[in-house]
Amino acid sequence: LINSTGKIAIGTTAIDGLVHIESASAGTVSAHANADELVLENSAHAGMTILAGATSNATVAFGDVGNNSEGQIYFSNHGTTSSLNIQNEFGYINLLPSGGAANGVGIGTAVPHHPLTLRYDSGDGEGGGFGIYDDGGTDDTGYASMYFGSHNVAVPRKKQGIGVIRRGDYGVGDMRLMVDSNADDADGTFANDT
């Protein structure tokens, strides 16, 4: 069906976008105004498939008048090093499957050598890193923390950690190390195990 305004519908007469493909109605819902050029609808699972060659990329690109590829989401199909990538002009996130030559999540790198690899090249000699912030606490209660523990129990527990607690304005605070040496099924805390 092509209506009088040039919109196209397949499987429906209630056109909800420029191109609307419907297997079955999802109910009383409309496509978002910022994302209604292509609408795929079903009453259960809905999806889209991009098929590419055996050693090629399957890509969704995002662009504007200045750059036809400002960002991309693409699957790179290369056997044991196949990866899912999210990329823009500032860097990328790379997800490699476990069992390959490299595996894990890479942020700022296409080759993660650990379960999580972070790489940042500022180009100005200032170095890089990552930030951990806590917005929920007040003075002496809000820890920005990183925890370590074991996953060989039913519920993973936080047994060691590094935390910074805010004291006063501007996030100035104390860094604390937490080690819980109790052989129990409970998390350690910065209040009791520092």
Side-chain angles (χ1 to χ4, degrees), residues 104-117:
V105 177
I107 299 177
T109 178
V111 186
H113 293 287
H114 305 282
L116 173 62
T117 301

Side-chain angles (χ1 to χ4, degrees), residues 39-81:
V39 179
L40 305 176
E41 183 175 357
N42 195 8
S43 59
H45 301 296
M48 175 177 67
T49 300
I50 300 174
L51 302 174
T55 59
S56 303
N57 294 344
T59 304
V60 177
F62 307 90
D64 58 30
V65 68
N67 185 342
N68 65 3
S69 187
E70 287 280 358
Q72 297 181 2
I73 299 173
Y74 65 95
F75 179 76
S76 180
N77 189 8
H78 295 283
T80 59
T81 59

